[in-house]
Amino acid sequence: MAHVVVLGAGLGGVIMAYEMKDQLGKDDRLTVITKGSSYCFVPSNPWVAVGWRQRDDIEVDLTRVMAKRDIALLTQGAARVHPAENRIELTDGESVSYDYLVIATGPDLAFDEIEGLGPEGHTQSVCHIDHALKAEQAFKALVANPGPVIIGAVQGASCFGPAYEFLFILETALRKARVRDRVPMTFVTSEPYIGHLGLDGVGDTKGLLESEMRAHHIKWITNAKVKSVEPAVMHVEEVNDDGTTKKMHDLPFAFSMMLPAFRGVPAVRGIEGLTNPRGFILVDKFQRNPTFRNVFAVGVGVAIPPMGPTPVPVGVPKTGFMIESMVTATAMNISSLLNGKEPAEVGTWNAVCLADFGDGGVAFVAQPQIPPRNVNWSSQGKWVHYAKIGFEKYFLRKIRMGKSEPFYERLALQALGIDKLKSTHPETGDVA
């Protein structure tokens, strides 16, 4: 009898638990460790921040569904992973031992790395439901008293899609509130160019997004380092391609939402052999840690090297499709080990993204996510907005019902009109 533990219950952790349960035998045990019992659909947070969704619309209590699937749910949260001892120390002092561990914690939000950044400072966030609800109050204040807006992502950020999404969702909401004419908007990003997305662009994301910004009277600053944030003023260094200072900006704002850099969570950060210097989990092509061979990882907490040097540090995003493929590969690989076989499944590390703009949007597919690519496709239109709504409803239903079927690959196949997206691991080049 084996005991498999999934650490984390976000987008990756919940579907990891569902797929892992499908692979286990009747005598095996599965435990999920997380902080609290609620799952929130993070991709809907930009809508929450402008009042288009409420907490109840996107939150699921996992207690019932986990019990229905015979999955133990521990809600204390983890204080520290001890991989050499096959043990997780919980925040209440108790410990849980495991035969196999899947780390799916997501990231720690590094607001503290920039003075004045984040919900405890002077900018808003859409990374967490509580942040988005606070941002909604700031949005209401902006509508009541319009002024300049700064949206973007700071140096070291790796999740640029939500920044672009929120930029245009906010622009749409301001137009609907009939105050857009009194709100100058600036996009500030560490990317070397608009539409880079941490992926060196996908299709014509550069042209599409620049065109959208021009059409909506949005200015931008690329190669930007946010030095500090004061009440109503953001200090930004714009750099040249060689990293030297091009210009210093003191940008006034009445409202700002800036995505932070990510790092590994404290429970795993600094464990030699398990994580890189930023605290992300080191894995091989099978999602398995090279040092601790019974530890796997999926999701945003996985270490992926950047695409290449950029004037300002830019990370690589982990999209939903990529995470789904990591989950499926991990579940099958642990199942193989339980049956006396070696892991053989490689995740489809492709990128599929729906970026909603409130009344339109941009979609892209990158296969593989790191160039050169077999598929390098992007498109825009109102259909993206409706597809994102459909995705939200579908995914939340899947979480509530305890289903493990994938969504992103189906979406990509329909968009591209092809039969199969081949799996290409970005580091090894293995194709499946």
Side-chain angles (χ1 to χ4, degrees):
M1 181 179 76
H3 184 205
V4 179
V5 172
V6 176
L7 180 58
L11 186 149
V14 173
I15 61 175
M16 183 70 243
Y18 294 168
E19 291 207 29
M20 193 70 254
K21 184 64 179 178
D22 291 342
Q23 296 291 330
L24 294 178
K26 64 179 182 178
D27 294 326
D28 298 321
R29 293 188 297 133
L30 180 60
T31 299
V32 172
I33 299 173
T34 185
K35 187 69 174 177
S37 62
S38 296
Y39 168 86
C40 281
F41 187 62
V42 172
S44 293
N45 283 347
W47 292 337
V48 173
V50 295
W52 295 355
R53 294 290 189 279
Q54 299 302 313
R55 180 189 289 270
D56 291 346
D57 298 326
I58 65 168
E59 191 171 63
V60 178
D61 187 342
L62 296 173
T63 306
R64 183 189 63 81
V65 67
M66 290 293 182
K68 182 179 178 180
R69 296 224 55 189
D70 194 27
I71 300 170
L73 180 66
L74 302 181
T75 59
Q76 303 99 311
R80 193 68 171 169
V81 174
H82 300 276
E85 304 172 21
N86 298 329
R87 178 175 67 89
I88 300 172
E89 179 186 349
L90 304 181
T91 58
D92 63 0
E94 297 293 316
S95 287
V96 175
S97 297
Y98 58 81
D99 296 297
Y100 293 94
L101 170 65
V102 182
I103 299 174
T105 58
D108 185 42
L109 306 174
F111 293 114
D112 60 293
E113 293 181 345
I114 299 174
E115 182 183 352
L117 188 73
E120 301 303 317
H122 310 297
T123 63
Q124 305 301 323
S125 163
V126 292
C127 296
H128 190 279
I129 180 64
D130 293 339
H131 299 169
L133 288 168
K134 184 176 180 180
E136 182 192 7
Q137 298 306 309
F139 165 71
K140 290 178 179 178
L142 175 67
V143 171
N145 187 21
V149 161
I150 303 172
I151 308 298
V154 307
Q155 55 270 28
S158 58
C159 191
F160 296 95
Y164 286 103
E165 275 197 302
F166 186 67
L167 174 73
F168 288 107
I169 287 170
L170 178 63
E171 199 276 341
T172 300
L174 291 170
R175 279 191 280 114
K176 289 183 176 181
R178 309 188 80 80
V179 297
R180 176 66 179 90
D181 59 313
R182 289 177 278 163
V183 181
M185 300 184 74
T186 304
F187 190 72
V188 173
T189 179
S190 53
E191 299 162 277
Y193 59 83
I194 293 299
H196 181 279
L197 301 169
L199 297 169
D200 200 12
V202 182
D204 190 29
T205 49
K206 181 179 189 294
L208 289 175
L209 290 169
E210 283 189 357
S211 178
E212 287 289 323
M213 288 189 178
R214 291 189 182 97
H216 292 88
H217 309 285
I218 299 169
K219 297 179 180 180
W220 65 80
I221 301 172
T222 55
N223 281 338
K225 292 181 181 178
V226 177
K227 307 299 288 184
S228 65
V229 186
E230 298 178 20
V233 180
M234 184 178 296
H235 303 289
V236 176
E237 178 188 7
E238 182 182 1
V239 306
N240 294 304
D241 289 343
D242 63 0
T244 59
T245 300
K246 179 178 180 180
K247 186 177 180 180
M248 296 299 299
H249 301 266
D250 297 320
L251 304 175
F253 66 89
F255 177 101
S256 177
M257 195 294 295
M258 297 294 292
L259 296 181
F262 293 165
R263 62 192 172 203
V265 299
V268 300
R269 203 159 62 230
I271 299 176
E272 186 175 355
L274 182 67
T275 65
N276 71 6
R278 288 291 291 179
F280 294 117
I281 309 300
L282 300 167
V283 297
D284 62 17
K285 65 181 181 180
F286 305 117
Q287 305 300 134
R288 187 184 197 182
N289 180 257
T291 301
F292 303 101
R293 307 291 285 169
N294 61 340
V295 176
F296 292 73
V298 301
V300 179
V302 169
I304 300 179
M307 300 263 318
T310 52
V312 179
V314 170
V316 176
K318 289 94 170 179
T319 65
F321 181 24
M322 186 193 302
I323 293 171
E324 277 189 350
S325 75
M326 291 179 183
V327 164
T328 298
T330 299
M332 297 180 72
N333 287 333
I334 292 177
S335 177
S336 293
L337 288 166
L338 291 174
N339 287 289
K341 301 176 182 178
E342 285 300 305
E345 295 298 320
V346 178
T348 309
W349 280 25
N350 303 316
V352 179
C353 182
L354 296 171
D356 172 54
F357 291 171
D359 54 2
V362 170
F364 64 80
V365 177
Q367 184 246 329
Q369 71 164 6
I370 296 176
R373 300 183 176 116
N374 296 315
V375 177
N376 193 43
W377 176 90
S378 59
S379 182
Q380 66 183 131
K382 289 186 179 294
W383 71 269
V384 180
H385 172 66
Y386 295 113
K388 187 66 175 279
I389 293 172
F391 169 47
E392 174 196 54
K393 294 182 182 302
Y394 172 87
F395 200 90
L396 282 168
R397 182 178 184 275
K398 181 168 76 168
I399 295 297
R400 293 184 177 109
M401 297 295 292
K403 301 291 185 181
S404 59
E405 61 181 346
F407 171 83
Y408 282 96
E409 183 160 10
R410 182 186 306 167
L411 170 71
L413 297 179
Q414 290 176 348
L416 294 169
I418 59 180
D419 295 327
K420 182 180 180 182
L421 283 176
K422 291 183 178 180
S423 167
T424 308
H425 193 277
E427 294 183 21
T428 65
D430 289 353
V431 177

